[in-house]
Amino acid sequence: MTEFWESSFRDKQTMWGFEPADSAVSTLALFQKHGLKDILIPGFGYGRNAKLFIDHGLNVTGIEISETAIGIAKSHFGESMQVYHGSVSDMPFDQKFYDGIFCYALIHLLDAKEREKLIRDCYSQLSPNGYMVFVAISKNTPTYGEGKKLSRDRFETKHGVNLFYYDQTSVEQEFGPFGLFEATEVEEPAKYTENKPSQKFWLITCRKQAA
């Protein structure tokens, strides 16, 4: 997985442009509504979504597996941003608690055990009354069922990427124990998906209740 993303960022650089995803915009509104300030972004990429939060005064920490992506981010947005180099499977990278966590289009790349660990690790680093938002690919997206079937709702694409497609049941099963607050299907325009047809995602919001 590391080499795949290294080669992708080396070859395609800023492959998704610099405009944030629509789901990042809606997440910013949620974070602002609740006065959240310290944000963790697992799967930071080159920072296109992170910049939105930074520009609105939030403190952002990232986790990114690709050194190339981190280099691109720093070349565009400066050296000041805190980004841990490593896999989300190695979380936690610090002992800090975060008000908000935004994880875009990452969790569906993981297998069942890795997904459970990521959700649990994020929830563990979430402050009481904090929110975490995951954007995960939906079974209702046009590419569902393409490629080699690995297990139920999980397929290997022609590019060698493994994708797990979520539905309402799997969202509730995996996120239910971790403060599932709301889950809605959203559509990301084609400009966010390398000029491919628009894809459908689940926008999954969890809240950590105060003890």
Side-chain angles (χ1 to χ4, degrees):
M1 184 63 73
T2 303
E3 181 51 40
F4 172 83
W5 288 112
E6 280 293 347
S7 61
S8 294
F9 284 115
R10 280 197 304 266
D11 296 343
K12 301 175 184 177
Q13 294 286 299
T14 54
M15 64 185 102
W16 297 296
F18 288 101
E19 289 295 316
D22 288 356
S23 52
V25 176
S26 63
T27 299
L28 172 64
L30 173 73
F31 288 175
Q32 289 178 316
K33 177 182 177 181
H34 295 284
L36 310 187
K37 283 294 184 183
D38 292 319
I39 309 302
L40 178 66
I41 301 183
F44 185 86
Y46 55 83
R48 73 181 180 106
N49 289 321
K51 187 176 186 299
L52 175 72
F53 298 108
I54 293 168
D55 286 348
H56 285 81
L58 280 66
N59 305 316
V60 174
T61 299
I63 301 171
E64 175 52 47
I65 199 170
S66 167
E67 284 188 292
T68 299
I70 294 172
I72 295 170
K74 291 186 175 181
S75 70
H76 285 280
F77 308 129
E79 293 283 338
S80 60
M81 60 178 58
Q82 171 69 59
V83 185
Y84 293 106
H85 174 232
S87 169
V88 295
S89 298
D90 296 326
M91 287 178 68
F93 285 86
D94 58 33
Q95 300 305 310
K96 184 174 179 178
F97 288 95
Y98 293 91
D99 301 325
I101 296 174
F102 180 63
C103 188
Y104 180 82
L106 167 65
I107 194 164
H108 50 245
L109 300 171
L110 309 178
D111 64 27
K113 289 184 178 179
E114 292 169 335
R115 295 195 304 273
E116 195 277 337
K117 183 179 186 300
L118 176 58
I119 298 168
R120 185 178 298 278
D121 287 344
C122 287
Y123 192 75
S124 294
Q125 286 199 265
L126 198 62
S127 299
N129 296 317
Y131 287 81
M132 60 182 191
V133 178
F134 289 79
V135 181
I137 199 164
S138 168
K139 283 177 67 172
N140 290 322
T141 209
T143 57
Y144 175 74
E146 293 182 2
K148 177 184 177 182
K149 185 172 184 178
L150 302 173
S151 58
R152 181 178 178 180
D153 295 332
R154 192 163 187 251
F155 300 85
E156 181 183 345
T157 72
K158 62 183 179 181
H159 302 295
V161 178
N162 298 336
L163 293 177
F164 177 77
Y165 293 83
Y166 279 88
D167 58 16
Q168 184 76 48
T169 299
S170 52
V171 168
E172 291 175 356
Q173 286 176 341
E174 296 193 6
F175 293 90
F178 301 97
L180 180 62
F181 182 78
E182 184 178 37
T184 57
E185 276 193 296
V186 298
E187 190 169 291
E188 291 287 8
K191 64 180 179 178
Y192 299 139
T193 53
E194 297 183 87
N195 297 319
K196 297 175 184 177
S198 296
Q199 293 183 317
K200 287 189 177 294
F201 294 87
W202 283 96
L203 184 63
I204 303 161
T205 305
C206 298
R207 181 179 180 228
K208 189 172 189 177
Q209 296 283 354

